[in-house]
Structure formats: structure tokens, C-alpha cells
Amino acid sequence: MTPKAWLARQRREVVGPLRLAALCGTIEGGLIIAQAGFIAWLIQQVIMNERPLADFMLPALGLIGVVALRPVFASLRSAAGISAAATVRATVRRRLIHHVESLGPAGLADVSSGELSSQLTDQVDALDGYFARYVPQMTIAVIVPLSIAVAAYSQDWIAASFLLLSAPLIPLFMALVGMGAERLNRDQFLALGRLSGQFLDRVRGLTTLRLFGRTQDAADGIVSGSDEYRQRSMRVLRVAFLSSAVLEFFASVAIAVVAIYIGFGLLGYIEYGPSPQLTLFSGLFILLLAPEFFQPLRTLAQHYHDRATALGAAELLNELESRPTAEEGFGTGTLLEGENFGTGTLQISGLRVDRVGRGTVLYAESFNVDAGERVLIEGPSGTGKTSLLLAIAGLLPPASGEIDRRFPDPRIGWLGSPPFLANASIRANIRFGNPEADDPMILEAARQAGVMEFTERLEQGLDTVVGERGLSLSGGQAQRVALARALVSPAPMILLDEPTNALDATTEAYVLQAINALASEGRAIVISSHDAALRTVADRRYRISEQRLEMIADE
């Protein structure tokens, strides 16, 4: 889908507010014509016909009413445009967040967190000006100048022709400027995304950078990225100011030509066409309308930068939205009604898993796990163990084959290494595994995972806030919290990715006990690891060798 088609798709969702904004702007343009007519007629009557001011009470009240109504319709137009833009932003952001959730970590492996956050915030916000101002102004810029031209033609066709002949110059230069502005805006968003990701990565790795004495190098890299973003922003601003200057120049020249023609016509120096019939009313009426004729076009030109910005953002947002989700190739699944732990099975046949930049990383002819069974997948690092778990979890779409899950609950438990902990209390991090878990369930899971051993020494116990990614906990303590989360989970299948990696003997023992406890509840356990200690709890073992998954015979 092209960026223009993507924007058109969003525009169809807010047709009503956009039409209301265009209607209010058109009515405002009609009031401008009425205002110019009232002013020109009053001056004609007072100066040329020498009528007393007392005779113009009703026309004066009409002029005051027209002047008072203009800001009212301007406000309504602005409010309708802002409402449409807010609706589009909320809809797009909600849809993108849902799509990102569907992509999962595998689908976003080549996108940094900073770049992703920039897309969901800055690039979505960049759509605001396009829908709030540019789209309604496109309609206004056609109807209002044509209406003014018709009004001017009713008085003098030569002056109106000057206006119409100069009008196409503005859209022409808008198109010429827009050819480069879209690319510049896209490059600017890419630079901002890279800078966001770079800054976030440096903040996350600040401790490591300080340990290795590389903080200055990191700071220099951020300064370099900031300077690149500054240069790209200045290029965008140069194009915007240059286009505005060119358009203002041509509009001013056209207005000056009309003013010269009317001035010489009123003085009697021009005898051609309708010039001899020019009056103070008709001349002043056209002069008052001339700036207003170009104003919608100049406003459209000013907002043309919003269009270029939106097109640049739309291209990147469309790329994100076009990424295939894991659900598109997940396979089949069946819920077993009325069943609980102790029933269900996972069956895989002819599975091929591909990764971006690596091609095929794994092929599994046959693989199955039954409820209550503990299956270990072995193999050196980089052989595809994690990729298989991601495919089973539905986070990585298989290139071919079938994954058939038949369990009483569609949820899947996951314990990775290192585990993810949110900036919340230990109790809340455990409850993430089961939002409906009560305190006794959380306490029991914390006891089984060995969490209570170190939380008893904390002043706030389980209510201690651990910081982003478990910053205040050691690696073993964070693994215990994640293990408690898996124990409290209602998922009938638990996937463990290197659960004993870099753990002390005590924490490793808790992991092995938890695996046995989960299996005793009737849950299917799939473990990927090259740790020989896990062989003691495995019912069956598989090995990945030369990109193929094969079962290991009993030794």
C-alpha cells in the first residue's frame, strides 16, 4: 500500500468531521464576500452619494453580524478538524499497538525499542496537521476562490481574469516543493528513530559502559546522532520557508497587478473592456476580495508541509503495519471444553522456521508433548532452540508445517533468560502470570520459587518495587520472581528458555523443583537448554543438529 493510499484509508474513517470542517470553512469564505460587499457599498454611499450615516443602520448591523460570525465558523472548522485528527491518531495508535502485540519479540527483533516508541508517538502525532488542517483546506481552497472569482466577474471580468491566471502558480510550486519535502520528512523521521533507539540503548547499558570506561564514546555517539537529526530538521525547515516565500511573492505580485489595473481604470487611463464602467464600489469590492482570493491557497500551501510530513510518517507506519504477524502462520488449535490440567497435547509436523537475515534455522519433522510431560530440547547456542519455542508460542510464524495445540486453555506460560520484570512490586510482577490470582496463591508460588527467602529481608517484603527490568534484584533473584510467575500462571503449557542459565546452585534447585511441580499439576513443559542438570527432570529429550530436530534415544 502506498503512503497516499494508507492516508486515504484513514481519511475514510473520519469523513463526517472532515466534511463539517470543510463546510464551516466554505461558509466563512461566503461571509468574506458578504463583508467586502457591505464595506464597499457603505463607502460608495457615504463618499460618492454623500448620504448621511444615519441611513446605514441596518447595513451596518449586517456588517457587524458578518464580522462576528467569521470567527465562530473559523472556530467550528478548527474544532472539527482537531476532532478528526484526534480520532485518526487514537485509531491508528490503537491498531498499531495491537499489531505490535501480535508481532511479538520475534517479529520486532530487528527494531529497537526506541525506534518503535518513536513510531508509536512522534510519527503517529505527525498525522495531526494533515487531518486537522490540510484535508479540510483542500476543499476550501477550491470552493472559496472560485466563489470569489465569480463575485469579481460580476463586477469586472478583466480583474477577475488576473486572479484566475495567477492562481495555478501556487499549486504548481506546491507540487514542485512536495516532491522533495516528502523524502526529507521521511529521512528526518528515520534519523529521529535511530536517535531514540541509540539513546535508549545507552541508558540501559550505562552500568556496563561505566565499567568498561566507554561513557565518553557513548556520549559522543549521541551528540553525533543529535547533530544528524538537527541537520535533517534544518533541511525540512529550509524547504518549508522557501516554498512560503515563493508563494507569497506570486500572490503579492498578482494583488499588485489587480490594484494597478483598478487604480488606472478609475482614473480613466484604461479604456479597454469594462474598465470605463468601474466605480468606487466595484473597484473597492474587487480590491478587498483580491487578498482573500489567495488566502485559502496560501493557507493550503502552508499546510502542504503537513501533507509532506504525514506522507513521510505514513510510509514508515505502513511498513510497520505490513509486517506479517505470527497468527498468520501459526497453525491450528483446539480448546478442550470442560477439561483442566492433565489433558491436552502439542503436535508439530513438517515444521520449518526461518529468521530474518539467517534463512532456515530449524526443521522439525515430528515433535509432540503431552500434558504432564517434561520435554528437553538440547543444542549449542544459535542452533534454533529459542526459535522453536517462539514458534510454539505463536510469536514466530512458521515458514511451513503445522503446529497443533489441543489444550483446555489457549494461554501459554513463558520463562526466558534473562527474565523480564516491570517497574512494579514483586507481588505485581508475580501476579502478571495470572491477574486473577489472590494473595494466598501468590504467597504459595513465591514460597515454591524461593522468593520468600530474600523478600523476608526486605522492609516492604513482596510489595518492594524492583525497578525497570528488575534493576534492584540480582540475576538469581529475578529468575525466582519469574519462576513464581510461571507457577501462578493458569497456562496448561509452560515454555522455559534456558531457565538455569548463569544461576547459583540454590536457585537452580528451585528451578528443578518448580519444573517437577508444574508437571505434577498436569502441565506440558517444554525446556530449551544445553545445561546437563535439566536432563534429570526430562521425560524425553530432543537435540537440534545441523538445523534438524531429532529425538534422543534413551541412554
Side-chain angles (χ1 to χ4, degrees), residues 3-15 17-19 21-22 77-89 92 123-138 303 306-307 310-311 314 317:
K4 292 181 181 179
W6 190 88
L7 288 174
R9 172 190 171 194
Q10 319 312 318
R11 195 162 61 234
R12 286 193 292 269
E13 299 179 4
V14 286
V15 171
L18 291 177
R19 287 179 177 174
R77 178 188 64 181
S78 178
I82 291 173
S83 174
T87 301
V88 169
R89 292 201 315 273
V92 170
Q123 293 178 22
V124 174
D125 288 341
L127 304 175
D128 184 82
Y130 177 80
F131 290 97
R133 297 182 290 271
Y134 179 78
V135 175
Q137 192 63 32
M138 284 195 301
H303 298 330
D306 293 325
R307 175 184 179 272
L311 283 172
L317 294 174

Side-chain angles (χ1 to χ4, degrees), residues 4-44:
K4 292 181 181 179
W6 190 88
L7 288 174
R9 172 190 171 194
Q10 319 312 318
R11 195 162 61 234
R12 286 193 292 269
E13 299 179 4
V14 286
V15 171
L18 291 177
R19 287 179 177 174
L20 178 60
L23 176 62
C24 292
T26 303
I27 294 175
E28 184 186 2
L31 292 174
I32 290 173
I33 298 175
Q35 175 182 303
F38 273 120
I39 293 174
W41 185 83
L42 287 171
I43 293 176
Q44 167 78 14

Side-chain angles (χ1 to χ4, degrees), residues 75-343:
S75 299
L76 291 175
R77 178 188 64 181
S78 178
I82 291 173
S83 174
T87 301
V88 169
R89 292 201 315 273
T91 302
V92 170
R93 187 171 283 124
R94 182 167 55 249
R95 191 172 68 240
L96 287 175
I97 289 175
H98 177 73
H99 186 70
V100 167
E101 291 175 349
S102 300
L103 287 171
L108 297 170
D110 59 336
V111 181
S112 70
S113 300
E115 184 178 351
L116 183 61
S117 64
S118 175
Q119 287 183 294
L120 296 176
T121 53
D122 298 322
Q123 293 178 22
V124 174
D125 288 341
L127 304 175
D128 184 82
Y130 177 80
F131 290 97
R133 297 182 290 271
Y134 179 78
V135 175
Q137 192 63 32
M138 284 195 301
T139 303
I140 297 169
V142 173
I143 297 177
V144 173
L146 286 177
S147 301
I148 292 176
V150 170
Y153 259 107
S154 67
Q155 302 300 317
D156 190 292
W157 64 265
I158 294 180
S161 298
F162 286 140
L163 297 177
L164 288 176
L165 289 174
S166 58
L169 292 174
I170 292 180
L172 174 62
F173 277 94
M174 284 169 53
L176 293 175
V177 169
M179 292 178 184
E182 178 183 346
R183 178 182 57 80
L184 291 175
N185 278 279
R186 183 182 186 280
D187 293 343
Q188 182 191 27
F189 282 125
L190 287 173
L192 179 60
R194 286 195 298 268
L195 179 61
S196 300
Q198 185 182 23
F199 184 77
L200 182 60
D201 290 341
R202 299 303 184 273
V203 171
R204 285 177 174 174
L206 188 58
T207 302
T208 304
L209 292 170
R210 292 184 63 185
L211 288 173
F212 286 91
R214 302 304 297 270
T215 53
Q216 187 58 46
D217 293 340
D220 292 342
I222 293 175
V223 170
S224 176
S226 301
D227 189 61
E228 178 193 359
Y229 179 66
R230 176 189 63 80
Q231 292 176 3
R232 295 189 183 277
S233 298
M234 291 305 297
R235 290 172 191 167
V236 173
L237 291 175
R238 278 199 297 269
V239 171
F241 284 119
L242 176 62
S243 60
S244 297
V246 172
L247 297 175
E248 290 290 343
F249 171 77
F250 282 106
S252 300
V253 169
I255 294 171
V257 170
V258 172
I260 292 172
Y261 165 77
I262 291 176
F264 280 104
L266 289 175
L267 292 173
Y269 291 126
I270 301 177
E271 300 291 338
Y272 178 77
S275 301
Q277 285 77 43
L278 275 173
T279 64
L280 180 60
F281 167 78
S282 60
L284 187 57
F285 180 64
I286 295 172
L287 277 178
L288 290 173
L289 289 180
E292 302 296 345
F293 175 85
F294 291 101
Q295 187 56 48
L297 296 171
R298 286 188 295 191
T299 303
L300 181 65
Q302 293 169 2
H303 298 330
Y304 199 74
H305 179 68
D306 293 325
R307 175 184 179 272
T309 301
L311 283 172
E315 183 175 356
L316 299 174
L317 294 174
N318 184 41
E319 289 177 2
L320 174 62
E321 199 170 13
S322 299
R323 287 174 174 256
T325 61
E327 287 85 345
E328 294 174 12
F330 179 66
T332 61
T334 302
L335 296 183
L336 304 179
E337 297 292 342
E339 302 290 346
N340 208 323
F341 298 147
T343 60

Side-chain angles (χ1 to χ4, degrees), residues 16 46 72 76 112 120 144 174 207 249 353-354 431 460 496 500:
V46 172
V72 172
L76 291 175
S112 70
L120 296 176
V144 173
M174 284 169 53
T207 302
F249 171 77
V353 179
D354 295 347
R431 185 174 276 120
Q460 296 180 332
L496 307 177
T500 59

